[in-house]
Amino acid sequence: MPPPLSIRANTLKKLFQKAARSSECSPITRTATSVRPLTQTFVAQRNPTSLRNFSNSSVLHKKKSRADREQAAEAAENAEPVEDPFDFSILDASIAKALDRLSNDLSKLRTGGRFNPEVLENLRVHLNKNSKKSERLSDLAQVLPKGGRMLMVLVGEKEHVHAVTTAIQGAKDINLQPQQDSENENQLNIPIPPPTKESRDLALSQASKTGETAKTAVQAARAVQQKRLRAMELKKTVRPDDAKKAHKEMEKIVEKGVGDVKKAVDAARKGMEQS
């Protein structure tokens, strides 16, 4: 049987009294600082970088000072440029220079009674014997055809006639003897000697030597490019496959340059032989 109601009521009364006495013995003391609002706790747990005013820059994107910018610029200037193994601009320029010089040298060769006036125009004239300074003949006089096998040189200043005459007579590769005109003191008449077998053979030999000089210049340009590619391989700044492709492309450019030299020399020799 369940206990009487009076017994259960007394038991409950004792339990309440015991609970009241235990709460009085250990009171909970709370300070004002220990109690924080829920919103404050939530804000404190958020990322501190998000607590900023809109007028301030982000912590992760802080503006660089002038010293930082100068240091970055200096580092960029001192940084080694990235080399391109397929950059053949220096090689192309060197070969083009060699071909231009070859063309100029071949045009100066005299054969078959034809004479290029540029040979005289390019002569160097020393106006003062005591000075190493020289002037280009074309800057002092005009070279014009007079008709037949004769050229005339019109000197601008009378005092320069002797220096121009000396420069022409001193050019051993052309072997010309200027003569002063009887009516114009500033005019020099230059007879062109008739062609001979010896002069033709000499011109052909000079053409061959000029071609060999041009080939040497092309090979020297190849050596410079080869050294540049080799340096990239040693520094490991280029992939092996790209290095092989660059070498093949270089050889094609050099082969074309040598071929252009041969064509120019062959064309010049053919004209000399037919004259």
Side-chain angles (χ1 to χ4, degrees):
M1 286 182 67
L5 293 176
S6 59
I7 296 175
R8 285 186 293 175
N10 292 334
T11 303
L12 292 174
K13 184 177 180 181
K14 291 179 180 180
L15 291 175
F16 283 124
Q17 291 176 352
K18 184 177 181 181
R21 285 195 301 269
S22 61
S23 60
E24 291 176 357
C25 294
S26 58
I28 300 175
T29 58
R30 299 179 181 179
T31 60
T33 57
S34 63
V35 180
R36 294 184 296 178
L38 180 60
T39 56
Q40 183 178 357
T41 303
F42 175 75
V43 171
Q45 295 176 352
R46 293 179 62 185
N47 189 350
T49 58
S50 63
L51 298 178
R52 59 184 177 84
N53 297 326
F54 289 102
S55 60
N56 296 333
S57 299
S58 172
V59 175
L60 300 179
H61 302 282
K62 185 179 179 180
K63 293 182 179 179
K64 294 183 179 180
S65 63
R66 182 176 180 180
D68 294 337
R69 292 194 298 270
E70 293 178 354
Q71 185 177 2
E74 183 179 357
E77 291 179 357
N78 296 333
E80 295 184 359
V82 179
E83 293 184 298
D84 183 10
F86 298 99
D87 181 12
F88 301 104
S89 57
I90 298 177
L91 178 62
D92 292 334
S94 300
I95 293 177
K97 184 178 179 180
L99 291 174
D100 290 342
R101 185 173 181 178
L102 172 64
S103 177
N104 186 37
D105 292 342
L106 290 176
S107 67
K108 294 179 181 179
L109 299 178
R110 176 173 59 88
T111 181
R114 293 196 303 270
F115 186 79
N116 188 355
E118 292 183 0
V119 176
L120 291 178
E121 293 175 351
N122 292 328
L123 291 178
R124 307 300 300 184
V125 180
H126 293 272
L127 300 178
N128 188 353
K129 295 181 179 180
N130 299 326
S131 175
K132 295 182 179 180
K133 184 179 179 181
S134 63
E135 302 290 340
R136 197 166 177 261
L137 189 143
S138 60
D139 296 333
L140 304 175
Q142 285 183 306
V143 181
L144 302 172
K146 189 177 181 180
R149 305 182 63 82
M150 186 73 69
L151 291 176
M152 64 177 178
V153 179
L154 297 177
V155 185
E157 301 291 340
K158 182 179 179 180
E159 56 269 19
H160 296 162
V161 174
H162 179 70
V164 171
T165 303
T166 302
I168 297 174
Q169 291 176 343
K172 298 180 180 180
D173 55 338
I174 58 178
N175 192 24
L176 298 177
Q177 297 297 327
Q179 302 172 358
Q180 192 170 15
D181 191 79
S182 59
E183 298 180 358
N184 187 356
E185 295 181 352
N186 290 11
Q187 177 177 331
L188 297 175
N189 299 323
I190 303 177
I192 305 298
T196 61
K197 183 179 183 303
E198 290 76 10
S199 63
R200 184 179 291 107
D201 293 341
L202 178 61
L204 291 172
S205 176
Q206 290 177 344
S208 299
K209 291 181 180 179
T210 302
E212 292 299 325
T213 302
K215 287 182 181 179
T216 301
V218 173
Q219 293 298 331
R222 177 193 177 278
V224 173
Q225 186 69 23
Q226 175 78 8
K227 184 177 180 180
R228 178 171 170 267
L229 292 175
R230 182 57 180 167
M232 293 183 191
E233 292 177 353
L234 293 177
K235 294 179 182 179
K236 297 182 179 180
T237 58
V238 59
R239 296 185 304 177
D241 292 343
D242 290 341
K244 291 181 180 179
K245 292 179 182 178
H247 279 287
K248 291 182 180 180
E249 188 66 24
M250 177 191 68
E251 295 298 342
K252 290 180 180 179
I253 296 175
V254 172
E255 184 179 357
K256 182 180 182 300
V258 174
D260 292 340
V261 170
K262 186 177 183 302
K263 288 179 181 178
V265 174
D266 290 344
R269 287 178 58 87
K270 184 176 180 181
M272 296 174 186
E273 292 172 352
Q274 293 178 352
S275 60

